[in-house]
Structure formats: structure tokens, C-alpha cells
Amino acid sequence: MSTTFQLDTSTSRANPTPAPMKRLTVPKIRARKTDGETGEPLVMLTAYTARQAQLLDAHCDLLLVGDSLGQVIYGLPSTIPVTLDMMANHAAAVVRGSYHAVVVVDMPFGSYEGSREQAFDSAARLLKDSNAAAVKLEGGEAMAETVAFLSQRGIPVMGHIGLTPQAVNALGGYGARGRSDAEADKILADARALDEAGAFAVVVEGVVEPIAIAVTEALSCPTIGIGASARCDGQVLVTEDMLGMFERVPRFVKRYENIAETISQTVARYADEVRSRSFPSSDQTYQPKS
């Protein structure tokens, strides 16, 4: 039995708690695809906090501590300003709040592109500081040598091709990729390079569906689609998007709930009760003992 950290709702403190099951491992995730087929698709969602991880963990195979936290948590305009410190701190919280899913942490922009050695130092720090199981980095053929370097040194790597948010300035926006023959060929070549380099899975983002299917069929490792195809070996979404925390979401997101409206209505009720002095009542205050 593994050990995780459970939030004590009476104190909001994290306390070590026996976990009811062993955590999934990277080899088990990789083994879900055999002879080019994945029987049960992999489920992945983003998580940035311990409490969020607790709520998602039982339902997911993987939790991604995405650099999307720059926009979702910090209100930044893109993922570019995200730092290693941000990623390490949030990943540690997600690990403490989970016991089942494999926790993967994004390597932020500028922390791995300079050299294989820089990538190893950054990845090693992330895993040491957070106890996450794997890192994810963006880029295809250009990063294959780095992926191999990390994999050979005991750091599991998830790849990321197609629409790569850290390269948004070079790509010129967040549009779908693979519409031209040249771009489609490059995406397929990028995917194969990562697979051959030892990536245990590859995120395929914002790629036209026929290319996403071709990539999935070409790789021995699982593909995780986002704005790609249901025929990928798994799917990932930003949790806040699928829960309806934002007014606008990307076209490829299915909004499963409207949590933002629920929060707004609940806070409005609280504000009304405070202003009418009906909260707190005797049920929420301490009275002298008789």
C-alpha cells in the first residue's frame, strides 16, 4: 500500500494517509498499447492543486501538471513566462493529492531547448522536487536526441507535437496543424522521431483528424489526443475548460458542466446573506456555555 497526503477538511492541512491502491507506473501506461492497439483509451486531465488532484485521481490514468497553469492559475497571456519553480511547486501538490494516476509535469519554455544537459538538469530538478513520475516536453525531430538522452538516464518523457503552445510565436497562432501536405509530413516525421527516441507517449494537439489517425497508427507508443481524434490512444483536456470555468473555450473542448455559473450564483447568495446580516447565524457562531 502506497502513501499519499489527504487534506484534513477540518484544518486544511495535508496529512499522510494510507492509499487504497498502488499508483500506476509509466511502463504500465506504455504497455496499454500492444501491437499497435489500445483496448481501453487512456484518460488524462490537467491538475494544478492537491485538492483538484484528489477529485480527479480515481477517474484518470494520468494527471498532467501542464504549463497551461500560467494562464489558468496565474492569468498570464501565454505559457512562455512559466518557470521551473511554478511547475515544481504545483507538481508536488498534485503528487500529494493523488495515489492512483501517473503524474506528468510539463517542462516550461527555456528549461530544455538549450542542450541535452540543460534538459537533464531541469527534468531531474522537477522530478526530485515534486516526486512526479515523468516530464513532458514540446517538439519533434529537433528534440528527439534530447528525449533519447533523458530516457537513457532514467527520466520518462512524454512528447508533444502538432500545435505546441510554447512555439506559438513561431507558429503565428493557435490554428490547427497538418492542413498542408508539407506540414502533415512534418508532423508524422516528428511523431516517429519521438517514438524511436523512447518517448513513452506522445500528445497530439490541434492536428487535423486524418493526420492524428495516421500518427496513432504509425507509433508503437500511445498517442494522447487533444483536438485530434477519438481514435487516438487516449485523450487530454484542460480540466477548467471541460468544467466550464471560462466563458470561451477552444472548439475541440466539450464543456461537461458550467461550474463558473454555479460558483457565481453561490457567491451571490453568500454576499446577499452577509449584507442582510443573516449570515452568520447561531449555527455558525460560538455562544457562551450555560
Side-chain angles (χ1 to χ4, degrees), residues 133-156:
V135 298
K136 180 171 76 64
L137 55 79
E138 296 182 8
E141 288 182 300
M143 297 309 303
E145 186 180 343
T146 296
V147 171
F149 188 82
L150 297 180
S151 299
Q152 291 163 6
R153 285 158 179 77
I155 297 179

Side-chain angles (χ1 to χ4, degrees), residues 6 9 11 13 65 114 159 167 170 188 198 215 219 224 235 261 263 281 290:
Q6 189 78 9
T9 55
T11 63
R13 293 177 180 171
V65 187
L188 192 54
V215 166
L219 300 196
I224 309 292
Q235 301 294 326
E261 183 176 343
I263 292 173
S281 69
S290 55

Side-chain angles (χ1 to χ4, degrees), residues 243-247 257-266:
L243 290 179
M245 287 292 288
F246 300 108
E247 293 179 4
E257 190 52 83
N258 192 348
I259 296 298
E261 183 176 343
T262 299
I263 292 173
S264 181
Q265 292 174 349
T266 303

